[in-house]
């Protein structure tokens, strides 16, 4: 019996903004190569970001973009970028573009009847396939620089012991708030992220799917014995209380909590945060979002007691301010932030593989009566 050869997966490509005729010519050229696959074509910078996040292509080919758009693309697409330009780009411009993942560029394509078309086609396809080597080299550099970190083509951490734990908890309005936070988290985070929202068990699957659609990081549903991994989001199931076991720097995993919870809401954010703080100490970041009651306050207190950091959502962006207010009144908030600022704080705090844009953080102002 003969063994069937295993063919490599096609190189997936997302086409960004460029002149219509140029994009058509490029699309026709790429379709002559069976080893590449066009997975999407965008209409505007916002659509480019959205499709890059949703499709996670191996390579983005796009025309020149405003600096802000390239920065956003670099945040959500960790793979290489091939740039189209209607004119020759100076070396300084290419060096600047390299910080956003641009490894090469190409110019206008001649008509197929042009004598130079065959040469141009081969050169462009060479640059397209070069993206695999570019991505591999980047992975190797980052792995060496960060120790045992292992990355996938798009820069996601595949399997490594987390350097810390982020616990995000919320209740009323919490699901939508969690989506906003995880949407801004950068791929390549070296900490594990655990999400807990007060919901019945029957709603866990829908919450996992909502978080998965919003996040650039891989998302899984929590279960007994699940090993925590850097750069992965774990959504713990509703209707049950959960705890982190193990020790930072070694193995960390999820277990059902055996300790009694102070409140009736499940999953208990207090129990989850307390167990995370005991496992990771100073490398624990608690995030208390919108919700009724005071769940998360005891957990925040333990995190701060063991040297960790706590964020509380501000009143202006919280659907229900009770939970974060309780944390603030207790003096446990390291910072009080608007919902849209939390991801940038987290990215900077947990030291992603690519630096995040700085965020101005004001200290927690305890202006609420205690």
């Amino acid at each position: 019996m003969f063994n069937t050869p295993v063919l490599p997966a096609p190189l997936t490509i997302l086409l960004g903004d460029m002149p219509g005729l140029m994009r058509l010519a490029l699309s026709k050229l790429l379709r002559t190569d069976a080893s590449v696959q066009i997975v999407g074509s965008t209409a505007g910078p916002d659509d480019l970001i959205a499709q890059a996040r949703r499709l996670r292509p191996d390579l983005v080919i796009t025309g020149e973009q405003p600096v802000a758009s390239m920065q956003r693309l670099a945040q959500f697409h960790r793979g290489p970028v091939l740039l189209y330009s209607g004119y020759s780009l100076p070396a300084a411009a290419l060096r600047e573009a390299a910080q956003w993942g641009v490894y090469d560029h190409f110019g206008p394509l001649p008509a197929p009847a042009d004598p130079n078309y065959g040469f141009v086609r081969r050169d462009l396809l060479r640059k397209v396939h070069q993206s695999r080597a570019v991505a591999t080299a980047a992975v190797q550099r980052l792995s060496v620089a960060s120790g045992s970190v292992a990355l996938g083509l798009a820069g996601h951490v595949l399997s490594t012991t987390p350097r810390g734990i982020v616990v995000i908890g919320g209740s009323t309005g919490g699901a939508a708030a969690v989506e906003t936070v995880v949407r801004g988290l950068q791929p390549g985070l070296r900490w594990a992220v655990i999400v807990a929202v007060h919901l019945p068990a029957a709603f866990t699957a829908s919450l996992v799917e909502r978080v998965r659609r919003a996040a650039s990081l891989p998302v899984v549903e929590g279960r007994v014995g699940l090993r925590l991994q850097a750069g992965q989001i774990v959504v713990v199931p509703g209707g049950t209380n959960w705890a982190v076991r193990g020790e930072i720097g070694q193995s960390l995993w999820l277990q059902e909590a055996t300790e009694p919870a102070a409140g009736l809401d499940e999953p208990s954010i207090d129990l989850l945060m307390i167990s995370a703080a005991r496992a990771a100490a100073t490398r624990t970041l608690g995030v208390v979002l919108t919700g009724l009651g005071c769940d998360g306050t005891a957990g925040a207190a333990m995190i701060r007691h063991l040297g960790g950091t706590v964020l509380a959502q501000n009143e202006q962006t919280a659907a229900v301010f009770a939970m974060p207010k309780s944390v603030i009144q207790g003096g446990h908030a390291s910072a009080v932030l608007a919902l849209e600022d939390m991801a940038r704080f987290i990215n900077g705090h947990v030291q992603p593989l690519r630096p995040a844009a700085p965020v101005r953080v004001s200290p927690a102002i305890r202006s609420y009566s205690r």
Side-chain angles (χ1 to χ4, degrees), residues 65 109 288 350:
Q65 303 283 333
L109 300 177
V288 180
V350 305

Side-chain angles (χ1 to χ4, degrees), residues 265-300:
D265 292 314
E266 294 175 332
S268 168
I269 297 165
D270 279 333
L271 292 182
L272 188 58
M273 286 186 170
I274 289 170
S275 65
R278 287 172 175 166
T282 60
R283 293 183 173 270
T284 311
L285 174 59
V287 181
V288 180
L289 301 176
T290 173
L292 288 168
C294 60
D295 193 16
T297 300

Side-chain angles (χ1 to χ4, degrees), residues 82-365:
L82 183 59
L83 193 65
Y84 164 75
S85 177
Y87 53 89
S88 180
L89 292 175
L94 290 175
R95 285 194 298 270
E96 181 182 8
Q99 65 184 302
W100 305 311
V102 175
Y103 69 96
D104 209 334
H105 74 292
F106 66 100
L109 300 177
D114 190 293
N116 294 320
Y117 180 80
F119 171 79
V120 174
R121 174 185 176 276
R122 288 192 297 272
D123 186 59
L124 179 56
L125 290 176
R126 176 187 62 79
K127 292 180 179 180
V128 167
H129 288 289
Q130 185 187 3
S131 65
R132 287 194 188 274
V134 170
T136 300
V139 167
Q140 292 172 345
R141 288 195 301 271
L142 290 170
S143 297
V144 170
S146 58
S148 61
V149 176
L151 301 177
L153 184 62
H156 302 297
V157 176
L158 296 178
S159 178
T160 185
T161 302
R163 297 187 177 187
I165 304 171
V166 180
V167 179
I168 304 174
S171 186
T172 309
V178 164
E179 285 184 277
T180 299
V181 174
V182 301
R183 185 174 289 114
L185 296 183
Q186 292 183 345
L189 295 186
R190 305 181 187 186
W191 292 28
V193 181
I194 307 175
V195 170
V197 178
H198 295 157
L199 288 172
F203 291 91
T204 300
S206 61
L207 177 61
V208 170
E209 185 56 32
R210 288 181 65 173
V211 175
R212 186 173 288 138
R213 287 198 302 266
S216 298
L217 297 166
V219 179
V220 298
E221 181 177 338
R223 64 179 186 277
V224 173
L226 177 70
R227 301 281 175 175
L228 300 185
Q229 296 184 7
Q232 183 181 71
I233 300 173
V234 178
V235 179
V236 297
T240 309
N241 291 327
W242 295 87
V244 177
R245 304 302 186 201
E247 185 177 346
I248 196 69
Q250 301 179 25
S251 183
L252 296 168
W253 66 93
L254 279 182
Q255 286 292 135
E256 290 191 20
T258 56
E259 305 88 341
L264 299 177
D265 292 314
E266 294 175 332
S268 168
I269 297 165
D270 279 333
L271 292 182
L272 188 58
M273 286 186 170
I274 289 170
S275 65
R278 287 172 175 166
T282 60
R283 293 183 173 270
T284 311
L285 174 59
V287 181
V288 180
L289 301 176
T290 173
L292 288 168
C294 60
D295 193 16
T297 300
M302 179 61 75
I303 290 174
R304 292 299 303 276
H305 176 69
L306 295 178
T309 303
V310 174
L311 302 182
Q313 187 176 355
N314 69 2
E315 184 173 9
Q316 292 76 13
T317 61
V320 179
F321 189 49
M323 277 174 45
K325 181 179 179 180
S326 178
V327 171
I328 297 166
Q329 287 181 331
H332 311 310
S334 307
V336 179
L337 295 177
L339 182 63
E340 59 270 18
D341 290 331
M342 286 190 166
R344 281 186 292 166
F345 184 101
I346 296 170
N347 288 333
H349 186 80
V350 305
Q351 299 177 332
L353 298 178
R354 179 180 286 160
V359 57
R360 293 172 56 189
V361 178
S362 301
I365 300 174

